[in-house]
């Protein structure tokens, strides 16, 4: 079915203090803790958070120097960094229960390399990557702007410029598309936790400049379509207001619903888990394809089986936006990159403590950093792809 040319599309983002994102942050902080001690650690940690209580569960295989106390300290530090020192959720006083245990030997035997067997995938599953030309970061515009609003607010909150706003926040942006291109923000919703000393109208004016700064000039919606704290009050927030779980915001983490999602969460998992690493590779390939001018939009799917090193399938779709004959694109990609779990980890250098930053404002569309953060956003395949197509 062809995509309509004129339509409205909506994506949402949630801030670092959203209950689910608190849990993602804690889980990824524990991943980083283990990878910093041993790059080959195996980690799959889930977090539950509610009123002044955090529960850790999952499986690990790593150095004995990392004790349950270290994991609990990492959880507290994550909560402190987000900014929770509230009566109902406090980094120092929350009760932390730790049920993390050693990794199953049945999983380990399938994943580990042995003899002539290469390292296998940590689980079966399908993973998607996507890129388009709607924004400079090759991300769909609705999720790009939803993230940007919250990121700008968060930066100033941490800088002490917004003392009356709390850590918990959500945004939602509806864009109008004409002839397939975004042209304006038709609706914007921002909900943010606030001090009880201010009312809805005051919160609205605190938020307004950040929405204006995040959107292109002239895109701010009409006043009646600009919603701030629609319920009127948002004083109780974070895990005190609503329980949180790791991995419950996977669409926020990826493309805001503008592209398929395989269903697997990222946070709390070391890079042998293809839920995470293969999704990063799929994004990396799709982004380089679009940046190389091969197509204006690209979707990639990878499929794996637990214990099997090579992907079962590689699917590439450019939805009729290709500028070259891309029938052999899957073959070209396989020639450029080793798509086994080990190959992905080595190519993107994923066995590093680089995951805490991914837990808020999306895993994609970020700037790659010299220390390895967001390595899957690099554009270092562009020249090879152009050479393959003589572009």
């Amino acid at each position: 079915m062809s995509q309509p040319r004129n339509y409205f599309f909506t994506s949402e983002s949630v801030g670092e203090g959203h209950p689910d994102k608190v849990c993602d942050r804690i889980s990824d902080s524990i991943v980083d803790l283990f990878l910093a001690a041993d790059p080959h650690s195996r980690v799959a940690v889930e977090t539950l958070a509610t009123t002044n209580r955090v529960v850790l569960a999952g499986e690990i295989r790593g150095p004995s120097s990392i004790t349950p106390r270290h994991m609990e300290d990492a959880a507290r530090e994550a909560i402190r960094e987000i900014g929770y020192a509230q009566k109902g959720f406090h980094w120092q006083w929350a009760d932390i229960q730790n049920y993390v245990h050693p990794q199953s030997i049945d999983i380990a035997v399938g994943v580990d390399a042995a003899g002539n067997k290469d390292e296998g995938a940590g689980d079966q599953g399908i993973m998607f990557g996507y890129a388009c030309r709607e924004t400079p970061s090759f991300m769909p515009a609705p999720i790009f702007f939803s993230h940007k609003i919250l990121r700008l607010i968060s930066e100033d909150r941490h800088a002490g410029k917004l003392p009356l706003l709390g850590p918990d926040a959500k945004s939602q942006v509806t864009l109008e598309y004409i002839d397939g291109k975004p042209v304006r923000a038709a609706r914007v919703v921002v909900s943010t936790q606030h001090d009880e000393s201010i009312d809805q109208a005051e919160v609205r004016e605190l938020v307004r400049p950040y929405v204006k700064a995040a959107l292109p000039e002239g895109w701010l919606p009409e006043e009646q379509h600009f919603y701030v704290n629609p319920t009127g009050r948002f004083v109780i927030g974070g895990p005190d207001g609503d329980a949180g779980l790791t991995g419950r915001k996977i669409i926020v983490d990826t493309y805001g619903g503008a592209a398929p999602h395989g269903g697997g969460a990222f946070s709390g998992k070391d890079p042998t888990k293809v839920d995470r690493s293969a999704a990063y590779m799929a994004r990396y390939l799709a982004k380089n394809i679009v940046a190389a001018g091969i197509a204006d939009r690209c979707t990639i799917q990878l499929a794996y089986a637990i214990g099997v090193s090579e992907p079962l399938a590689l699917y590439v779709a450019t939805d009729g936006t290709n500028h070259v004959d891309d029938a052999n694109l899957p073959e070209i990609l396989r020639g450029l990159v080793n798509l086994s779990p080990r190959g992905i980890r080595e190519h993107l250098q994923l066995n590093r403590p680089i995951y805490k930053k991914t837990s808020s404002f999306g895993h994609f569309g970020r700037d790659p950093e010299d220390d390895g953060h967001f390595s899957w956003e690099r554009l270092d395949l562009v020249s090879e792809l152009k050479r393959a197509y003589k572009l």
Side-chain angles (χ1 to χ4, degrees):
M1 182 182 296
S2 61
Q3 187 176 22
R5 301 299 294 169
N6 300 330
Y7 57 95
F8 293 87
F9 194 84
T10 305
S11 294
E12 72 157 345
S13 179
V14 296
E16 62 193 328
H18 183 281
D20 296 328
K21 282 287 140 198
V22 171
C23 294
D24 286 346
R25 175 73 162 262
I26 291 171
S27 294
D28 275 337
S29 295
I30 292 173
V31 172
D32 284 353
L33 176 70
F34 275 92
L35 292 180
D38 179 357
H40 300 289
S41 295
R42 302 290 168 81
V43 185
V45 171
E46 316 288 343
T47 302
L48 161 70
T50 186
T51 301
N52 264 334
R53 178 162 293 176
V54 172
V55 179
L56 306 177
E59 304 80 45
I60 53 95
R61 184 173 51 158
S64 59
S65 59
I66 305 299
T67 66
R69 177 61 182 271
H70 290 112
M71 287 185 264
E72 293 154 23
D73 288 346
R76 293 193 191 280
E77 179 63 12
I79 298 167
R80 187 195 66 79
E81 288 174 343
I82 292 169
Y84 277 113
Q86 301 172 358
K87 181 180 178 181
F89 195 67
H90 197 296
W91 67 271
Q92 193 171 8
W93 309 121
D95 176 33
I96 298 180
Q97 300 175 24
N98 191 338
Y99 299 99
V100 176
H101 59 80
Q103 183 186 54
S104 162
I105 59 172
D106 291 341
I107 292 177
V109 74
V111 175
D112 291 349
N116 293 325
K117 174 185 172 296
D118 196 1
E119 177 184 304
D123 201 351
Q124 71 175 47
I126 56 174
M127 299 85 206
F128 285 93
Y130 181 76
C132 63
R133 290 197 172 276
E134 292 182 13
T135 61
S137 63
F138 299 94
M139 287 290 286
I143 189 67
F144 175 83
F145 294 124
S146 294
H147 284 323
K148 190 173 181 180
I149 290 168
L150 295 186
R151 180 173 50 79
L152 293 176
I153 291 173
S154 174
E155 288 171 355
D156 274 5
R157 183 176 63 82
H158 283 293
K161 298 177 182 179
L162 291 170
L164 296 178
L165 297 188
D168 196 354
K170 300 178 76 171
S171 65
Q172 185 171 286
V173 175
T174 300
L175 297 185
E176 181 179 10
Y177 284 71
I178 295 179
D179 197 26
K181 296 180 179 179
V183 297
R184 71 181 182 97
R187 309 283 191 276
V188 172
V189 184
V190 179
S191 296
T192 179
Q193 187 182 14
H194 61 89
D195 188 86
E196 60 184 350
S197 66
I198 58 174
D199 60 21
Q200 182 185 27
E202 292 171 291
V203 175
R204 185 185 191 88
E205 295 314 309
L206 286 175
V207 166
R208 185 188 301 276
Y210 296 95
V211 176
K212 188 175 181 180
L215 296 173
E217 187 172 356
W219 278 34
L220 197 68
E222 298 173 356
E223 196 66 13
Q224 68 268 31
H225 299 313
F226 175 39
Y227 304 90
V228 176
N229 285 8
T231 65
R233 176 183 165 90
F234 188 3
V235 173
I236 300 172
D240 187 29
D242 191 10
L245 291 169
T246 299
R248 203 159 55 175
K249 286 293 178 284
I250 58 177
I251 301 303
V252 171
D253 286 342
T254 55
Y255 308 102
H261 194 293
F266 303 156
S267 290
K269 298 175 182 177
D270 75 76
T272 66
K273 280 70 173 175
V274 285
D275 277 344
R276 179 168 225 159
S277 57
Y280 290 173
M281 175 55 76
R283 161 65 178 176
Y284 171 71
L285 295 176
K287 183 178 181 181
N288 276 268
I289 287 167
V290 174
I294 292 170
D296 294 333
R297 189 166 64 245
C298 182
T299 302
I300 288 182
Q301 183 200 60
L302 290 163
Y304 291 86
I306 188 168
V308 179
S309 61
E310 290 300 314
L312 306 186
L314 166 62
Y315 166 83
V316 183
T318 53
D319 302 322
T321 68
N322 52 303
H323 302 291
V324 298
D325 181 358
D326 60 358
N328 63 338
L329 193 47
E331 181 183 349
I332 289 173
L333 295 178
R334 286 182 180 272
L336 292 177
V337 180
N338 180 346
L339 295 176
S340 70
R342 177 184 55 79
I344 292 172
R345 288 190 299 101
E346 292 178 353
H347 188 92
L348 298 179
Q349 298 176 290
L350 297 179
N351 282 99
R352 292 185 281 184
I354 56 174
Y355 298 106
K356 183 172 68 173
K357 285 186 179 181
T358 68
S359 63
S360 53
F361 314 121
H363 292 243
F364 307 124
R366 312 286 287 274
D367 293 331
E369 300 177 11
D370 291 341
D371 61 1
H373 286 88
F374 306 103
S375 60
W376 49 93
E377 294 293 318
R378 299 189 315 239
L379 292 174
D380 50 7
L381 286 185
V382 167
S383 59
E384 293 179 85
L385 286 165
K386 284 185 172 181
R387 191 178 307 117
Y389 283 98
K390 298 181 172 58
L391 295 175

